[in-house]
Amino acid sequence: MSIATIAPPATRRSDFATLSDRIAAAGLTTRRPGYYVARIGLVAGIYIALWAVFVAVGDSWYQLIVAAVLAVAFAQLAFVSHDIAHRQVFRTRRPSEIAGLLAGNLGIGMSYGWWMDKHTRHHANPNHEERDPDVVPDVLVWSTRQAKASRGIPRFLGGAQAYLFFPLLTLEGLSLHVNSLRALARPSLRHRWAESGLLILHFVAYLAVLLLVLSPGKALAFFAIHQALFGVYLGATFAPNHKGMEMPSDDRQQPDYLRRQVLTSRNVRGGHLINTLLGGLNYQIEHHLFPSMPSVNLRRAQPIVRDYCAEIGVPYTEAGLIGSYRQALRYLHEVGAPLRRRRDA
């Protein structure tokens, strides 16, 4: 099952079917090839140009500025890979997989197959305590139930996790690379050899360029700044989308598709700058409802979805960027309360 096919078949009696009709009537599900040619060309051009600047600057501490800007370019390439995985760019699997492998594995050192499997399960059951891999308590806890049952690192960090959240994001880029390499051991990984070859080529080329151009100390500093800011950028983009929203579990009655997606997601308000910085993921509700919709169309879909949710009485959550972080951090602090009480006892 691909990310693009998780939406249920629309029936005329479902709320989602009515909304789908309105979205289709507005022409928002059609492909936008011109937009993606321009966007992918721009991101790829900036990515290549920054590596050219890196070589031109040479063995200098000014490379730390290049590292910071390159972290942004890596994140933007990750957003492109995200859209490719959702079949927003290509309609069929084969060109999507080829482009995804080039952007993900070769471009940023992320296993396209591993990430797509993980993200598909997230879309099918967003924020679900047992089924969404994005809320597994591996380092942080995401519910009071997880906090009470936690062991090891989550138990040790959970009481202060709201304060540690952004510092821990500096490790998110490295975590992505490590999990990608681990995924190569899975026989079930599609195109395992192609994934392995491209990932290894990325890491060998990345480290070789750093060590050939920079002294060891500067190379280590570049690596640390680049990977840390890459992780913070990615984590800060995804954090406002679901953290602090409803968390279903298997002991609760599951809502229908529309409510499952809307009630667990939060939009981030803002203009074109926020839309560019967050890769269109600020329209998280619309993206979850229509994952194969080109991200450039989400802005136009937003008022249709918001008005329809008001019409049928479904809460529709949106906040500014800072407000969304505040809500997410407040929620993380609240769910860590059982661990603080246990430590104080």
Side-chain angles (χ1 to χ4, degrees):
M1 179 175 65
S2 72
I3 305 175
T5 59
I6 64 171
T11 62
R12 292 203 173 274
R13 288 175 293 185
S14 74
D15 290 329
F16 180 70
T18 302
L19 176 60
S20 294
D21 290 342
R22 297 183 184 183
I23 292 293
L28 299 177
T29 58
T30 56
R31 292 289 186 272
R32 296 290 298 273
Y35 163 77
Y36 277 111
V37 167
R39 179 180 171 187
I40 293 173
L42 179 62
V43 171
I46 292 173
Y47 179 92
I48 295 170
L50 284 171
W51 281 117
V53 169
F54 173 85
V55 173
V57 171
D59 190 19
S60 166
W61 287 108
Y62 284 112
Q63 292 284 19
L64 299 186
I65 299 174
V66 179
V69 181
L70 192 62
V72 176
F74 265 52
Q76 287 293 328
L77 192 55
F79 298 155
V80 168
S81 182
H82 169 272
D83 287 9
I84 290 170
H86 279 291
R87 305 235 185 128
Q88 296 175 19
V89 182
F90 304 102
R91 190 178 300 275
T92 57
R93 171 184 285 181
R94 182 169 178 77
S96 297
E97 287 181 336
I98 293 172
L101 289 170
L102 291 175
N105 292 57
L106 184 60
I108 61 176
M110 176 191 74
S111 167
Y112 175 77
W114 162 77
W115 180 86
M116 185 171 177
D117 172 72
K118 175 176 174 288
H119 199 59
T120 298
R121 288 184 284 127
H122 160 70
H123 265 263
N125 293 282
N127 256 19
H128 193 287
E129 289 189 56
E130 288 81 25
R131 303 175 190 173
D132 183 354
D134 288 351
V135 293
V136 171
D138 53 353
V139 176
L140 305 179
V141 293
W142 307 104
S143 71
T144 54
R145 178 159 58 179
Q146 290 180 354
K148 292 174 182 177
S150 64
R151 297 290 184 272
I153 293 177
R155 182 175 182 174
F156 178 71
L157 298 180
Q161 63 182 9
Y163 302 100
L164 297 173
F165 181 72
F166 280 103
L168 286 172
L169 288 184
T170 59
L171 303 176
E172 184 66 22
L174 292 177
S175 175
L176 182 151
H177 298 319
V178 170
N179 286 321
S180 294
L181 289 171
R182 285 178 176 172
L184 299 180
R186 301 176 187 172
S188 60
L189 184 69
R190 284 178 58 85
H191 309 299
R192 188 178 174 191
W193 293 111
E195 291 238 13
S196 300
L198 291 172
L199 268 182
I200 292 170
L201 179 58
H202 169 86
F203 292 126
V204 169
Y206 179 88
L207 294 175
V209 169
L210 261 60
L211 294 174
L212 287 172
V213 173
L214 302 176
S215 64
K218 293 187 183 74
L220 181 61
F222 183 99
F223 178 85
I225 294 294
H226 178 226
Q227 295 298 327
L229 293 182
F230 175 47
V232 170
Y233 192 168
L234 282 183
T237 297
F238 287 97
N241 299 337
H242 301 283
K243 304 304 179 270
M245 299 303 297
E246 184 174 310
M247 288 194 66
S249 61
D250 282 331
D251 59 3
R252 302 179 189 176
Q253 184 177 1
Q254 297 302 305
D256 62 8
Y257 175 79
L258 183 144
R259 288 164 179 80
R260 186 164 72 247
Q261 304 299 336
V262 175
L263 296 177
T264 59
S265 303
R266 178 194 296 114
N267 276 14
V268 177
R269 289 192 296 265
H272 290 294
L273 177 60
I274 294 296
N275 192 33
T276 300
L277 288 176
L278 302 187
L281 295 174
N282 46 310
Y283 298 108
Q284 190 68 193
I285 294 173
E286 290 71 31
H287 170 59
H288 263 258
L289 286 170
F290 304 97
S292 62
M293 179 185 292
S295 58
V296 70
N297 288 348
L298 295 174
R299 179 178 60 85
R300 294 170 53 203
Q302 193 261 350
I304 299 174
V305 174
R306 182 185 57 201
D307 292 348
Y308 183 69
C309 286
E311 182 181 323
I312 62 175
V314 174
Y316 181 100
T317 304
E318 53 184 340
L321 183 62
I322 301 302
S324 67
Y325 291 142
R326 188 180 297 115
Q327 292 177 31
L329 293 176
R330 185 184 302 119
Y331 174 79
L332 287 175
H333 189 67
E334 289 172 356
V335 300
L339 296 174
R340 292 192 296 277
R341 288 196 294 267
R342 184 183 301 173
R343 190 168 298 171
D344 294 338

